[in-house]
Amino acid sequence: MGYVTYEVEGAVGILTIDRPKALNALNSEVLEDLNAALDQVDLDTVRCLILTGAGEKSFVAGADIGEMSDLSVAEGTAFGKKGNDIFLRIEKFPIPVIAAINGFALGGGCELSMSCDIRLCSENAMFGQPEVGLGITPGFGGTQRLARIVGLGVAKELIYAATNIKADEAYRIGLVNHVYPLEELLPAAKKLAGKIARNAPIAVRSCKKAINEGMQVSIDEGVAIEEEIFGKCFETHDQKEGMSAFLEKRKEKNFTNN
Ligand code: CAA
């Protein structure tokens, strides 16, 4: 996995896209390496993932323009599917994924961050969907996820005008949850990941599933999804452990994801 490194610190896995010479742009190989890195995550021990980019300048500067420049319709469609399949995998990954956005998050980079559950960024981050300036649409989910996150009007303006925005504006429109000085970004992401990892994994995973699935359906169908997922928590070890810890006024909890 030459372009993606994977490290584990306790219950937190850290995936780093590592192609700094091209500002971590996503060519086919990077996408395949990212997919292979996800295969490495041990879901029995890792409870939260962080996804970031190597270097101090860029999270991901987009899909690789050199690779895309000569594609046919069939090849362009296949390239879009390759990215979309992996980004959907991240969106549906059983454990939460935090994007730690350390610079440019343009095109496919912005799209990659939007497939993650939570976005944190550094003060030097820049977001945008510049595709229309290249004669294409966003192709790794940007036309779908941006509007879901920031609303229709803001998404359309950003995409139609190919406007890049800085971290403070991304925070203002709700594209990112928090902004940090660059050197504080990864520690902050690790702190949040650690906090998530200390909760009952079975419950955190169920929340991710309920929120994601509920966002795609009506409120009636959404609450029905919640009822089923909520009910399934009962009789689990983690439910017994969480509630007995409360009743026994015990701080330490031994959650096992069972
Ligand atoms: N694809 C391929 N190579 C890229 C790249 C990309 N998306 N972004 C940057 N690079 C390469 C540059 O070509 C350059 O390589 P060389 O040194 O070999 O010339 C290297 O990374 C450094 O880039 P710059 O010299 O341009 O760095 P800069 O600081 O002057 O500018 C930047 C940084 C504003 C991010 C600029 O590189 C840029 O505009 N990049 C393209 C951003 C973009 O348009 N992304 C969207 C791509 S389309 C897409 O993603 C489609 C989709 O939805 C699937």
Side-chain angles (χ1 to χ4, degrees), residues 6-257:
Y6 179 57
E7 302 156 84
V8 178
E9 290 184 15
V12 177
I14 304 160
L15 290 161
T16 306
I17 300 187
D18 190 5
R19 194 192 172 204
K21 277 187 188 156
L23 302 179
N24 304 322
L26 302 171
N27 62 14
S28 291
E29 238 179 296
V30 178
L31 289 170
E32 281 154 22
D33 289 352
L34 180 56
N35 202 29
L38 291 170
D39 291 336
Q40 279 199 304
V41 178
D42 179 357
L43 292 169
D44 289 332
T45 54
V46 174
R47 296 182 177 180
C48 189
L49 278 182
I50 295 170
L51 177 59
T52 193
E56 302 195 333
K57 195 173 166 186
S58 183
F59 172 68
V60 166
D64 192 293
I65 298 170
E67 181 174 341
M68 286 186 295
S69 61
D70 289 327
L71 297 185
S72 65
V73 169
E75 289 165 340
T77 307
F79 188 61
K81 180 164 167 45
K82 186 182 271 247
N84 275 332
D85 285 351
I86 297 166
F87 290 14
L88 277 170
R89 184 176 180 202
I90 292 170
E91 188 169 78
K92 294 178 188 173
F93 210 64
I95 56 177
V97 184
I98 299 171
I101 302 148
N102 55 312
F104 295 116
L106 300 174
C110 186
E111 293 167 308
L112 177 58
S113 79
M114 292 191 292
S115 72
C116 299
D117 295 276
I118 296 167
R119 281 158 297 284
L120 312 178
C121 79
S122 53
E123 286 166 346
N124 66 326
M126 179 178 281
F127 296 81
Q129 297 291 158
E131 286 87 351
V132 294
L134 296 164
I136 56 173
T137 67
F140 292 166
T143 61
Q144 304 306 307
R145 291 197 180 90
L146 188 58
R148 282 169 165 82
I149 295 170
V150 304
L152 206 53
V154 173
K156 284 182 170 176
E157 179 182 336
L158 289 175
I159 290 174
Y160 298 169
T163 305
N164 289 345
I165 55 170
K166 292 184 177 168
D168 55 348
E169 179 66 357
Y171 175 71
R172 193 189 69 78
I173 64 173
L175 184 55
V176 298
N177 292 17
H178 304 281
V179 182
Y180 300 96
L182 181 59
E183 65 279 8
E184 291 173 24
L185 174 65
L186 210 50
K190 288 181 186 176
K191 193 172 169 198
L192 177 59
K195 197 171 176 204
I196 291 169
R198 282 193 291 283
N199 289 313
I202 204 161
V204 171
R205 292 174 197 208
S206 296
C207 289
K208 175 165 177 169
K209 193 169 152 60
I211 293 169
N212 279 359
E213 289 181 9
M215 285 302 288
Q216 312 303 327
V217 297
S218 71
I219 184 71
D220 297 278
E221 291 167 292
V223 294
I225 290 169
E226 185 185 85
E227 277 161 25
E228 192 189 333
I229 288 178
F230 175 70
K232 278 188 185 156
C233 295
F234 291 85
E235 300 184 31
T236 63
H237 166 275
D238 284 358
Q239 177 258 328
K240 302 274 171 259
E241 173 67 6
M243 293 196 182
S244 54
F246 175 81
L247 295 171
E248 291 161 14
K249 304 191 187 306
R250 173 161 57 83
K251 278 238 157 57
E252 287 308 310
K253 296 172 207 166
N254 177 31
F255 289 129
T256 62
N257 195 36

